Amino acid sequence: MFSRLFKTSLKPRLAFPTFRVSSRYLKTLTFGSQEEVVIERNDFPREKIQSLFKDDVMAVIGYGVQGRAQSLNMKDNGLNVLVGLRKGGPSWDLALEDGWVEGKTLFPLEEAAKKGTTVMYLLSDAGQKSSWATIRPTLTKGKTLYFSHGFSIVYNQDTGVIPPKDIDVILVAPKGSGTTVRRLFLEGRGINSSVAIFQDFTGKARDRAFGLGVGIGSGYLYETTFEKEVYSDLTGERGVLMGAIYGLFKAQYDTLRAKGHSPSEAFNETVEEATESLYPLIGENGMDWMYANCSATAQRGALDWYPKFYEATKPVFENLYNDVKSGKETRRVLDVNSKPDYKEKLDEELKQIRESEMWKAGATVRSLRPTRKGQ
């Protein structure tokens, strides 16, 4: 499975164990043709979470979209939370704005990690690699190392992130942006998350992982492995969740514009109708429900054309998954995201998208929504 990834490296090879699931608060549900077990939020009410972690200090390392959302949700759930950041950076200032107090709940990275009984390693993947030498010595016997992405552990040959054997290592990966994690929590809802156990030194890793999953704002949780989480996550981000969907949007928009359609019409028929009308129907009750609520002409066209798009894109997804599994995508991320001018180049790439005709048209279309105009 990892022959290409581990073949020439002299670093220790990590084993990826499979743990038997306790049945105390599991529900078995059928997902398509397969039964899976899940844990729901009501299995870990707020009082139970507070009791489970009454002697713990959650040290959240990093304050990007996940670090910010998860730390604030845990704080609101009554847990003892600290935030660890590089002092003086923009994230430090944002944390202060959010109410974290320097010297009480906000500390430099190493100090926060030392204070934490659970070290929640939520820096970027490249940041986890560069900061590991600082964090590793703080992981003393019996602590918990927490991730929200399997990247650093699975691709340890590239990241160098190899945890000590006498700690628990767990993962809770929300299936969405940190912005959504926080928003759904504040709405009294919850995001779906996956959970994985890499090391269970204390014998308590499972309870802690599922408890923290609810503590950070999850609605229901399902179990996976570090490997499967990172393979599916990287494939999804590059595929239908972000990369592929923008590629399809752009291809259709550019085609309509080349055929003489106006920017407004091209954007409405490509993006606005999808995000405002059709995709919410999929979210409510599935693809067939969305089809059933469209015209007969739209139904017929969709059913005739989706196989063509499937055949055209399936090889691309196969290549993508293989590049993810081999570590090629990992090396690309670590190389580009570790460069000192990465943020400036990223801002330029996003600016090119934002200032393209398609998304300028989108800004105007969005401004005309009655909800935006307060009508």
Side-chain angles (χ1 to χ4, degrees):
M1 183 176 289
F2 286 99
S3 57
R4 286 184 59 188
L5 190 60
F6 293 130
K7 190 171 183 180
T8 59
S9 176
L10 297 178
K11 291 181 180 179
R13 180 172 180 172
L14 295 184
F16 294 89
T18 300
F19 293 93
R20 185 171 298 278
V21 181
S22 167
S23 60
R24 278 180 294 166
Y25 24 68
L26 296 181
K27 179 183 291 186
T28 300
L29 299 174
T30 300
F31 291 81
S33 60
Q34 185 171 324
E35 288 190 343
E36 298 182 34
V37 293
V38 300
I39 282 184
E40 297 179 287
R41 180 171 57 185
N42 57 15
D43 294 316
F44 280 88
R46 195 165 184 261
E47 297 74 18
K48 182 174 181 177
I49 295 173
Q50 292 174 351
S51 176
L52 181 62
F53 298 110
K54 65 181 185 300
D55 298 321
D56 280 275
V57 176
M58 309 301 172
V60 177
I61 308 301
Y63 209 66
V65 288
Q66 286 294 343
R68 185 185 189 192
Q70 294 188 31
S71 60
L72 291 171
N73 288 357
M74 287 189 296
K75 180 182 177 183
D76 288 349
N77 267 328
L79 301 185
N80 186 4
V81 184
L82 307 176
V83 174
L85 298 170
R86 294 179 180 86
K87 188 173 181 178
S91 292
W92 184 276
D93 294 337
L94 179 59
L96 290 172
E97 291 177 16
D98 284 345
W100 303 101
V101 179
E102 183 175 354
K104 293 185 178 179
T105 56
L106 178 62
F107 299 91
L109 290 176
E110 184 175 12
E111 188 174 355
K114 286 180 178 178
K115 291 178 179 293
T117 57
T118 295
V119 177
M120 304 179 72
Y121 207 26
L122 299 181
L123 296 170
S124 69
D125 295 319
Q128 288 184 17
K129 177 182 179 180
S130 64
S131 298
W132 182 242
T134 298
I135 300 301
R136 169 64 174 79
T138 71
L139 300 173
T140 52
K141 184 176 180 179
K143 282 193 175 187
T144 298
L145 177 61
Y146 168 108
F147 294 90
S148 280
H149 193 22
F151 190 102
S152 290
I153 291 291
V154 173
Y155 300 114
N156 67 85
Q157 304 300 303
D158 296 295
T159 65
V161 176
I162 300 175
K165 297 293 185 183
D166 56 359
I167 65 170
D168 291 345
V169 182
I170 64 175
L171 172 147
V172 178
K175 301 299 108 181
S177 161
T179 301
T180 310
V181 172
R182 182 61 175 164
R183 182 179 296 159
L184 292 179
F185 177 85
L186 292 175
E187 292 174 358
R189 300 159 64 193
I191 198 161
N192 305 335
S193 300
S194 60
V195 172
I197 313 298
F198 179 67
Q199 287 181 185
D200 187 5
F201 175 76
T202 66
K204 301 176 182 178
R206 169 152 285 95
D207 275 1
R208 295 173 65 80
F210 282 109
L212 271 177
V214 175
I216 66 157
S218 302
Y220 94 85
L221 304 114
Y222 63 92
E223 190 157 14
T224 186
T225 66
F226 273 66
E227 293 165 296
K228 289 180 179 177
E229 186 281 329
V230 74
Y231 294 165
S232 59
D233 187 74
L234 293 182
T235 298
E237 290 168 348
R238 286 147 181 77
V240 295
L241 300 179
M242 296 174 68
I245 196 63
Y246 180 42
L248 286 171
F249 281 163
K250 191 174 187 306
Q252 179 169 303
Y253 180 89
D254 288 350
T255 298
L256 291 174
R257 289 290 289 125
K259 300 300 182 182
H261 297 269
S262 70
S264 172
E265 184 169 55
F267 189 87
N268 271 286
E269 295 292 352
T270 300
V271 179
E272 189 74 356
E273 186 174 349
T275 58
E276 293 301 295
S277 174
L278 302 183
Y279 292 175
L281 291 175
I282 300 173
E284 286 175 14
N285 211 19
M287 185 66 71
D288 64 308
W289 171 253
M290 185 267 277
Y291 282 3
N293 282 276
C294 293
S295 70
T297 300
Q299 294 167 0
R300 185 71 269 143
L303 290 168
D304 287 347
W305 275 87
Y306 91 78
K308 300 177 184 181
F309 284 104
Y310 176 88
E311 294 297 331
T313 59
K314 183 62 160 57
V316 179
F317 282 101
E318 293 285 351
N319 290 337
L320 168 57
Y321 191 91
N322 290 337
D323 283 353
V324 167
K325 187 174 180 180
S326 71
K328 182 178 179 180
E329 281 296 308
T330 298
R331 290 184 284 276
R332 163 75 175 164
V333 167
L334 292 174
D335 175 52
V336 174
N337 293 10
S338 297
K339 295 184 184 301
D341 61 348
Y342 163 69
K343 186 63 168 60
E344 290 76 12
K345 289 187 174 180
L346 172 65
D347 288 344
E348 181 58 35
E349 288 180 292
L350 296 180
K351 180 181 178 182
Q352 289 176 13
I353 295 174
R354 182 171 62 253
E355 295 187 353
S356 68
E357 182 196 83
M358 177 180 177
W359 293 104
K360 283 184 175 179
T364 303
V365 170
R366 290 192 298 275
S367 73
L368 294 172
R369 293 175 187 165
T371 53
R372 290 291 183 98
K373 297 172 70 67
Q375 299 174 352

